[in-house]
Amino acid sequence: MILNSEKRDKPLGLRDYAGWGLWTAGFLLEAVADYQKTVFKADPDNAGKFISTGLWSISRHPNYLGEILLWAGLYLSSSSVMSGYQHLSVISPIFVYLLLTRVSGVPILERQGMKRYGKDPAYLDYVKNTALLLPGFW
């Protein structure tokens, strides 16, 4: 909404393309992760099991990582035409990140996972050896 009120038009630049790339990567990551989990849960052989295949083999929450990247990419691409107070819209991707990693999402699912599978050595190994969110970093 902030940017829609602007009358100026700037040529597309590196930041625009980088932001769109980040948005696309986040969208695909979230969509593929959600699809993989849906397929996993639909298989009766997986009843009572946790998913640790596909994207879930490198991140315990790849769908949330995708959501965070999506919002960061949106901010990045739109920031190329921002000025002054408009940069405060960075609050949106920061809010999504904090909400998913500190309030809902990850903390809730981690507690539920431990409650449900915490006695399963395979799950404990999965938690120990699989990145919480971003492989190689967190």
Side-chain angles (χ1 to χ4, degrees):
M1 300 269 284
I2 294 171
L3 291 177
N4 287 340
S5 64
E6 293 296 321
K7 301 290 183 208
R8 57 196 157 109
D9 194 15
K10 289 185 176 182
L12 297 176
L14 181 61
R15 199 176 339 172
D16 298 297
Y17 295 114
W20 295 342
L22 194 57
W23 185 92
T24 301
F27 178 82
L28 291 173
L29 187 61
E30 183 174 7
V32 169
D34 286 344
Y35 175 76
Q36 288 175 343
K37 192 165 193 177
T38 299
V39 169
F40 180 84
K41 285 185 165 197
D43 185 345
D45 291 339
N46 293 328
K49 297 179 183 176
F50 61 94
I51 185 170
S52 61
T53 57
L55 293 173
W56 301 86
S57 68
I58 59 171
S59 172
R60 295 197 313 265
H61 303 282
N63 52 341
Y64 291 151
L65 176 59
E67 183 75 15
I68 292 165
L69 293 177
L70 187 150
W71 283 100
L74 187 61
Y75 170 76
L76 182 62
S77 64
S78 62
S79 71
S80 66
V81 294
M82 290 181 185
S83 64
Y85 73 93
Q86 293 172 334
H87 286 284
L88 291 175
S89 64
V90 73
I91 290 169
S92 182
I94 291 171
F95 177 76
V96 168
Y97 169 79
L98 292 174
L99 183 66
L100 290 177
T101 63
R102 303 284 190 257
V103 180
S104 68
V106 171
I108 291 170
L109 291 177
E110 287 292 304
R111 279 193 302 274
Q112 287 176 348
M114 276 301 172
K115 189 175 183 180
R116 186 169 186 186
Y117 307 110
K119 294 183 176 155
D120 181 346
Y123 181 74
L124 296 175
D125 187 58
Y126 173 69
V127 169
K128 181 181 175 187
N129 295 307
T130 308
L132 179 68
L133 201 63
L134 187 60
F137 293 98
W138 184 36

